[in-house]
Amino acid sequence: MYPAEIASVPYLSPATAVLSFKPHYHVATNDFLFQYDSLLVPQVAHLPHETSLPVGNKSNSDESDDYQRSLAEERRRRRMISNRESARRSRMRKQKQLSELWAQVVHLRSTNRQLLDQLNHVIRDCDRIAHENCQLRDERAKLQKQLESTESTFMGPDT
């Protein structure tokens, strides 16, 4: 094993790492670039035992701080992705609930229209029957008058 290798992983000094690799994140307004930039740019893997190896003029505490910062950055990135997914699921649930409510509105409007049609039909029938009853009462009154006048004609004025 060469001094520049650690467990078969090539070691990059901070100076060469900065020149040859871009950061694994890119803050931009375009979410696509931010989300997939880590797939396009090579990343340096942090191994747990790297913090114990001295690098140039950096102290172990500086390396440990860098490692802790990179872990915190990774946790922050994962949490951000998790939050985006949670928000997406929440939007999908809300959209589903909204579409179900619209379907219910359509169904209730249809039912309401049918009930109004039935009510109008019953009201028309009621009006028709009331008019028919009125005509029948008038006809009965006429027939009763005719009957009374016929009876009085046959019976005579004395009886």
PDB file of all heavy atoms in Angstrom, residues 121-138:
ATOM      1  N   HIS A 121     -93.234  17.453 -10.654  1.00  0.00           N
ATOM      2  CA  HIS A 121     -94.228  16.509 -11.186  1.00  0.00           C
ATOM      3  C   HIS A 121     -95.386  16.343 -10.201  1.00  0.00           C
ATOM      4  O   HIS A 121     -96.564  16.395 -10.593  1.00  0.00           O
ATOM      5  CB  HIS A 121     -93.557  15.162 -11.475  1.00  0.00           C
ATOM      6  CG  HIS A 121     -94.474  14.141 -12.046  1.00  0.00           C
ATOM      7  ND1 HIS A 121     -94.981  14.222 -13.325  1.00  0.00           N
ATOM      8  CD2 HIS A 121     -95.004  13.010 -11.490  1.00  0.00           C
ATOM      9  CE1 HIS A 121     -95.781  13.184 -13.537  1.00  0.00           C
ATOM     10  NE2 HIS A 121     -95.803  12.435 -12.443  1.00  0.00           N
ATOM     11  N   VAL A 122     -95.075  16.194  -8.919  1.00  0.00           N
ATOM     12  CA  VAL A 122     -96.112  16.034  -7.896  1.00  0.00           C
ATOM     13  C   VAL A 122     -96.939  17.315  -7.775  1.00  0.00           C
ATOM     14  O   VAL A 122     -98.175  17.267  -7.654  1.00  0.00           O
ATOM     15  CB  VAL A 122     -95.480  15.642  -6.537  1.00  0.00           C
ATOM     16  CG1 VAL A 122     -96.473  15.766  -5.401  1.00  0.00           C
ATOM     17  CG2 VAL A 122     -94.915  14.237  -6.615  1.00  0.00           C
ATOM     18  N   ILE A 123     -96.295  18.473  -7.830  1.00  0.00           N
ATOM     19  CA  ILE A 123     -97.025  19.747  -7.753  1.00  0.00           C
ATOM     20  C   ILE A 123     -97.974  19.893  -8.950  1.00  0.00           C
ATOM     21  O   ILE A 123     -99.133  20.299  -8.790  1.00  0.00           O
ATOM     22  CB  ILE A 123     -96.040  20.938  -7.660  1.00  0.00           C
ATOM     23  CG1 ILE A 123     -95.354  20.941  -6.284  1.00  0.00           C
ATOM     24  CG2 ILE A 123     -96.746  22.257  -7.911  1.00  0.00           C
ATOM     25  CD1 ILE A 123     -94.229  21.950  -6.139  1.00  0.00           C
ATOM     26  N   ARG A 124     -97.473  19.544 -10.161  1.00  0.00           N
ATOM     27  CA  ARG A 124     -98.344  19.602 -11.348  1.00  0.00           C
ATOM     28  C   ARG A 124     -99.542  18.658 -11.191  1.00  0.00           C
ATOM     29  O   ARG A 124    -100.680  19.021 -11.506  1.00  0.00           O
ATOM     30  CB  ARG A 124     -97.553  19.260 -12.612  1.00  0.00           C
ATOM     31  CG  ARG A 124     -96.723  20.411 -13.150  1.00  0.00           C
ATOM     32  CD  ARG A 124     -96.206  20.121 -14.550  1.00  0.00           C
ATOM     33  NE  ARG A 124     -95.436  18.884 -14.644  1.00  0.00           N
ATOM     34  CZ  ARG A 124     -94.128  18.778 -14.443  1.00  0.00           C
ATOM     35  NH1 ARG A 124     -93.433  19.862 -14.135  1.00  0.00           N
ATOM     36  NH2 ARG A 124     -93.519  17.624 -14.547  1.00  0.00           N
ATOM     37  N   ASP A 125     -99.263  17.424 -10.706  1.00  0.00           N
ATOM     38  CA  ASP A 125    -100.357  16.465 -10.483  1.00  0.00           C
ATOM     39  C   ASP A 125    -101.356  17.006  -9.462  1.00  0.00           C
ATOM     40  O   ASP A 125    -102.581  16.886  -9.653  1.00  0.00           O
ATOM     41  CB  ASP A 125     -99.816  15.116 -10.021  1.00  0.00           C
ATOM     42  CG  ASP A 125     -99.167  14.318 -11.133  1.00  0.00           C
ATOM     43  OD1 ASP A 125     -99.330  14.705 -12.319  1.00  0.00           O
ATOM     44  OD2 ASP A 125     -98.500  13.301 -10.820  1.00  0.00           O
ATOM     45  N   CYS A 126    -100.849  17.606  -8.391  1.00  0.00           N
ATOM     46  CA  CYS A 126    -101.720  18.159  -7.349  1.00  0.00           C
ATOM     47  C   CYS A 126    -102.589  19.282  -7.925  1.00  0.00           C
ATOM     48  O   CYS A 126    -103.807  19.332  -7.673  1.00  0.00           O
ATOM     49  CB  CYS A 126    -100.862  18.668  -6.191  1.00  0.00           C
ATOM     50  SG  CYS A 126    -101.831  19.270  -4.802  1.00  0.00           S
ATOM     51  N   ASP A 127    -101.963  20.175  -8.708  1.00  0.00           N
ATOM     52  CA  ASP A 127    -102.722  21.269  -9.333  1.00  0.00           C
ATOM     53  C   ASP A 127    -103.779  20.717 -10.294  1.00  0.00           C
ATOM     54  O   ASP A 127    -104.928  21.192 -10.316  1.00  0.00           O
ATOM     55  CB  ASP A 127    -101.790  22.219 -10.085  1.00  0.00           C
ATOM     56  CG  ASP A 127    -100.983  23.116  -9.152  1.00  0.00           C
ATOM     57  OD1 ASP A 127    -101.363  23.216  -7.960  1.00  0.00           O
ATOM     58  OD2 ASP A 127     -99.974  23.691  -9.609  1.00  0.00           O
ATOM     59  N   ARG A 128    -103.398  19.718 -11.089  1.00  0.00           N
ATOM     60  CA  ARG A 128    -104.334  19.110 -12.040  1.00  0.00           C
ATOM     61  C   ARG A 128    -105.502  18.474 -11.295  1.00  0.00           C
ATOM     62  O   ARG A 128    -106.676  18.681 -11.665  1.00  0.00           O
ATOM     63  CB  ARG A 128    -103.601  18.058 -12.883  1.00  0.00           C
ATOM     64  CG  ARG A 128    -104.458  17.413 -13.957  1.00  0.00           C
ATOM     65  CD  ARG A 128    -103.679  16.370 -14.747  1.00  0.00           C
ATOM     66  NE  ARG A 128    -102.980  15.398 -13.927  1.00  0.00           N
ATOM     67  CZ  ARG A 128    -103.546  14.337 -13.344  1.00  0.00           C
ATOM     68  NH1 ARG A 128    -104.833  14.127 -13.462  1.00  0.00           N
ATOM     69  NH2 ARG A 128    -102.821  13.493 -12.636  1.00  0.00           N
ATOM     70  N   ILE A 129    -105.219  17.756 -10.218  1.00  0.00           N
ATOM     71  CA  ILE A 129    -106.278  17.090  -9.447  1.00  0.00           C
ATOM     72  C   ILE A 129    -107.160  18.134  -8.759  1.00  0.00           C
ATOM     73  O   ILE A 129    -108.396  17.987  -8.707  1.00  0.00           O
ATOM     74  CB  ILE A 129    -105.667  16.094  -8.448  1.00  0.00           C
ATOM     75  CG1 ILE A 129    -105.086  14.907  -9.213  1.00  0.00           C
ATOM     76  CG2 ILE A 129    -106.690  15.634  -7.425  1.00  0.00           C
ATOM     77  CD1 ILE A 129    -104.275  13.962  -8.367  1.00  0.00           C
ATOM     78  N   ALA A 130    -106.560  19.210  -8.233  1.00  0.00           N
ATOM     79  CA  ALA A 130    -107.358  20.267  -7.592  1.00  0.00           C
ATOM     80  C   ALA A 130    -108.282  20.911  -8.616  1.00  0.00           C
ATOM     81  O   ALA A 130    -109.470  21.178  -8.322  1.00  0.00           O
ATOM     82  CB  ALA A 130    -106.439  21.301  -6.961  1.00  0.00           C
ATOM     83  N   HIS A 131    -107.758  21.157  -9.824  1.00  0.00           N
ATOM     84  CA  HIS A 131    -108.586  21.735 -10.891  1.00  0.00           C
ATOM     85  C   HIS A 131    -109.710  20.768 -11.279  1.00  0.00           C
ATOM     86  O   HIS A 131    -110.866  21.174 -11.456  1.00  0.00           O
ATOM     87  CB  HIS A 131    -107.710  22.073 -12.105  1.00  0.00           C
ATOM     88  CG  HIS A 131    -108.438  22.701 -13.226  1.00  0.00           C
ATOM     89  ND1 HIS A 131    -108.982  23.962 -13.150  1.00  0.00           N
ATOM     90  CD2 HIS A 131    -108.748  22.239 -14.462  1.00  0.00           C
ATOM     91  CE1 HIS A 131    -109.578  24.254 -14.280  1.00  0.00           C
ATOM     92  NE2 HIS A 131    -109.449  23.214 -15.099  1.00  0.00           N
ATOM     93  N   GLU A 132    -109.362  19.495 -11.375  1.00  0.00           N
ATOM     94  CA  GLU A 132    -110.351  18.466 -11.699  1.00  0.00           C
ATOM     95  C   GLU A 132    -111.426  18.394 -10.609  1.00  0.00           C
ATOM     96  O   GLU A 132    -112.631  18.282 -10.909  1.00  0.00           O
ATOM     97  CB  GLU A 132    -109.642  17.113 -11.826  1.00  0.00           C
ATOM     98  CG  GLU A 132    -110.348  16.094 -12.683  1.00  0.00           C
ATOM     99  CD  GLU A 132    -109.494  14.848 -12.845  1.00  0.00           C
ATOM    100  OE1 GLU A 132    -108.389  14.956 -13.417  1.00  0.00           O
ATOM    101  OE2 GLU A 132    -109.927  13.779 -12.385  1.00  0.00           O
ATOM    102  N   ASN A 133    -111.026  18.470  -9.334  1.00  0.00           N
ATOM    103  CA  ASN A 133    -111.979  18.463  -8.216  1.00  0.00           C
ATOM    104  C   ASN A 133    -112.923  19.661  -8.312  1.00  0.00           C
ATOM    105  O   ASN A 133    -114.137  19.544  -8.067  1.00  0.00           O
ATOM    106  CB  ASN A 133    -111.264  18.471  -6.873  1.00  0.00           C
ATOM    107  CG  ASN A 133    -110.731  17.108  -6.492  1.00  0.00           C
ATOM    108  OD1 ASN A 133    -111.124  16.096  -7.069  1.00  0.00           O
ATOM    109  ND2 ASN A 133    -109.848  17.093  -5.508  1.00  0.00           N
ATOM    110  N   CYS A 134    -112.376  20.794  -8.639  1.00  0.00           N
ATOM    111  CA  CYS A 134    -113.184  22.003  -8.771  1.00  0.00           C
ATOM    112  C   CYS A 134    -114.225  21.825  -9.885  1.00  0.00           C
ATOM    113  O   CYS A 134    -115.402  22.184  -9.724  1.00  0.00           O
ATOM    114  CB  CYS A 134    -112.285  23.195  -9.061  1.00  0.00           C
ATOM    115  SG  CYS A 134    -113.137  24.776  -9.018  1.00  0.00           S
ATOM    116  N   GLN A 135    -113.772  21.266 -11.014  1.00  0.00           N
ATOM    117  CA  GLN A 135    -114.714  21.017 -12.117  1.00  0.00           C
ATOM    118  C   GLN A 135    -115.790  20.010 -11.693  1.00  0.00           C
ATOM    119  O   GLN A 135    -116.980  20.189 -12.010  1.00  0.00           O
ATOM    120  CB  GLN A 135    -113.971  20.476 -13.346  1.00  0.00           C
ATOM    121  CG  GLN A 135    -113.154  21.506 -14.072  1.00  0.00           C
ATOM    122  CD  GLN A 135    -112.377  20.893 -15.228  1.00  0.00           C
ATOM    123  OE1 GLN A 135    -112.165  19.682 -15.277  1.00  0.00           O
ATOM    124  NE2 GLN A 135    -111.956  21.741 -16.158  1.00  0.00           N
ATOM    125  N   LEU A 136    -115.385  18.976 -10.967  1.00  0.00           N
ATOM    126  CA  LEU A 136    -116.354  17.973 -10.520  1.00  0.00           C
ATOM    127  C   LEU A 136    -117.370  18.580  -9.537  1.00  0.00           C
ATOM    128  O   LEU A 136    -118.562  18.256  -9.582  1.00  0.00           O
ATOM    129  CB  LEU A 136    -115.653  16.772  -9.889  1.00  0.00           C
ATOM    130  CG  LEU A 136    -114.899  15.864 -10.861  1.00  0.00           C
ATOM    131  CD1 LEU A 136    -114.084  14.826 -10.096  1.00  0.00           C
ATOM    132  CD2 LEU A 136    -115.860  15.202 -11.817  1.00  0.00           C
ATOM    133  N   ARG A 137    -116.901  19.481  -8.658  1.00  0.00           N
ATOM    134  CA  ARG A 137    -117.826  20.145  -7.729  1.00  0.00           C
ATOM    135  C   ARG A 137    -118.835  21.006  -8.498  1.00  0.00           C
ATOM    136  O   ARG A 137    -120.032  21.016  -8.181  1.00  0.00           O
ATOM    137  CB  ARG A 137    -117.044  21.017  -6.738  1.00  0.00           C
ATOM    138  CG  ARG A 137    -116.513  20.258  -5.567  1.00  0.00           C
ATOM    139  CD  ARG A 137    -115.990  21.221  -4.478  1.00  0.00           C
ATOM    140  NE  ARG A 137    -114.881  20.581  -3.816  1.00  0.00           N
ATOM    141  CZ  ARG A 137    -113.593  20.867  -3.980  1.00  0.00           C
ATOM    142  NH1 ARG A 137    -113.237  21.845  -4.772  1.00  0.00           N
ATOM    143  NH2 ARG A 137    -112.667  20.194  -3.357  1.00  0.00           N
ATOM    144  N   ASP A 138    -118.303  21.741  -9.492  1.00  0.00           N
ATOM    145  CA  ASP A 138    -119.200  22.571 -10.308  1.00  0.00           C
ATOM    146  C   ASP A 138    -120.226  21.702 -11.031  1.00  0.00           C
ATOM    147  O   ASP A 138    -121.428  22.039 -11.085  1.00  0.00           O
ATOM    148  CB  ASP A 138    -118.414  23.405 -11.323  1.00  0.00           C
ATOM    149  CG  ASP A 138    -117.612  24.522 -10.689  1.00  0.00           C
ATOM    150  OD1 ASP A 138    -117.868  24.843  -9.506  1.00  0.00           O
ATOM    151  OD2 ASP A 138    -116.704  25.063 -11.373  1.00  0.00           O
TER     152      ASP A 138
END
